[in-house]
Amino acid sequence: MRNSLPLLAIALCGVSACSDRSDTASIGNNAEAVADALERKANDLDAMAEATANDSAASMLEGAADNLEDQADNVRDMAEDGAAAR
């Protein structure tokens, strides 16, 4: 799943580049929805990390949550860059 997230973001931006201006807002909304979903998953992982007594597992979950938050930021940045290029 980790490798598919950048591909999803690239696909969203690719569609943005190929569409007309009327689709730009829709693609931006879709990118925002993807980013929001990634952040919700990151929050779930953070909650799981706080609930576990195993320090190693907590560290791993926190790292995964950080990665998802970074991916959410990347999706938003790519969508903004695609909109700015228009």
Side-chain angles (χ1 to χ4, degrees):
M1 178 174 156
R2 186 173 174 190
N3 292 335
S4 65
L5 297 176
L7 295 176
L8 176 60
I10 291 167
L12 286 172
C13 290
V15 170
S16 175
C18 295
S19 64
D20 61 26
R21 292 192 188 274
S22 64
D23 292 337
T24 303
S26 176
I27 291 167
N29 291 340
N30 289 342
E32 189 67 28
V34 168
D36 289 344
L38 291 170
E39 286 180 343
R40 282 191 301 276
K41 186 55 110 174
N43 291 340
D44 291 345
L45 292 174
D46 279 332
M48 290 171 60
E50 290 177 19
T52 187
N54 183 324
D55 291 339
S56 178
S59 178
M60 185 175 60
L61 289 167
E62 288 170 354
D66 289 344
N67 287 337
L68 287 176
E69 288 171 356
D70 290 344
Q71 291 297 325
D73 291 340
N74 290 342
V75 168
R76 285 191 176 100
D77 290 345
M78 291 178 78
E80 288 173 9
D81 290 346
R86 296 187 155 267

